[in-house]
Amino acid sequence: SSELTQDPAVSVALGQTVRITCQGDSLRSYYASWYQQKPGQAPVLVFYGKNNRPSGIPDRFSGSSSGNTGSLTITGAQAEDEADYYCYSRDTTGNQWVFGGGTKLTVL
Amino acid sequence: QVQLVQSGAEVKKPGASVKVSCKTSGYTFTNNWMHWVRQAPGQGLEWMGVINPSDGVTHYAQKLQGRVTMTRDTSTSTVYMDLSTLRSEDTAVYYCARDHSNDNTWWFDPWGQGTLVTVSS
């Protein structure tokens, strides 16, 4: 089965832009979806596919894809964006799906 | 609105089994597959498997094959996840999550509130 690889931790200054990446062979065929998880809470969908943001998610969250890498960009990061972020996609080897290992975002 | 309401926390001994339920409302139960995801303390999200509520067909993560069983009850719009031969490494919060797919993308929305399963002697 394939894997999705994320940087374990990323930091960004308040109001600056940060990109969280997700690498994996399956992303050459499929788009990722992205989830924000704060301590003690269930994950929340923040972006999915080529260009889809769920209602209620601020437009500072955007996504992109190139080759085997999917990216989630936060433009003008806010203190409330500090959380763990996970990518997710289907595996190319069959009816299996997989999460990235997660990225802990710190807003300085 | 769409709601996924899970059963309460469980404490089990090693070797036992646990069954977690996820009762759905606010949409047509058979229209969306349902996945199960777990998260061990301090760890990331782990995909466990999926069930098609329409016909009961399931697909399980390879590492859990033989220990996990997902079922559904269409009369109550509820899905179940049964995990057997529990070990301490199965201690985790277990989530159900409604599947969507389109244009080579799969996503979950919404998620259940999570069920803590603790395996301890």
Side-chain angles (χ1 to χ4, degrees), chain B residues 20-88:
Chain B
V20 179
S21 66
C22 172
K23 183 169 177 58
T24 74
S25 61
Y27 72 102
T28 301
F29 178 64
T30 52
N31 279 0
N32 297 80
W33 291 16
M34 190 71 75
H35 295 249
W36 288 89
V37 175
R38 70 179 180 177
Q39 186 172 36
Q43 303 300 308
L45 302 173
E46 178 185 12
W47 181 78
M48 299 180 66
V50 59
I51 183 169
N52 181 348
S54 179
D55 57 14
V57 170
T58 54
H59 302 287
Y60 301 134
Q62 289 166 357
K63 73 173 278 190
L64 294 173
Q65 288 274 4
R67 289 207 300 139
V68 66
T69 304
M70 296 175 187
T71 57
R72 93 289 192 212
D73 182 344
T74 55
S75 69
T76 60
S77 299
T78 302
V79 295
Y80 299 91
M81 187 284 300
D82 197 313
L83 188 62
S84 63
T85 320
L86 291 168
R87 29 207 193 228
S88 59

Side-chain angles (χ1 to χ4, degrees), chain A residues 29-33 35 45 47-50 52 88-91 95-97, chain B residues 27 30-35 47 50-53 59 97-110:
Chain A
S29 303
Y30 306 126
Y31 293 104
S33 54
Y35 303 87
L45 178 69
F47 202 88
Y48 63 99
K50 191 173 182 179
N52 299 283
Y88 168 80
S89 182
R90 184 171 185 169
D91 191 334
N95 288 312
Q96 302 280 298
W97 283 261
Chain B
Y27 72 102
T30 52
N31 279 0
N32 297 80
W33 291 16
M34 190 71 75
H35 295 249
W47 181 78
V50 59
I51 183 169
N52 181 348
H59 302 287
R98 188 174 75 145
D99 173 87
H100 303 263
S101 62
N102 187 41
D103 192 23
N104 288 328
T105 309
W106 284 261
W107 67 97
F108 297 136
D109 189 36

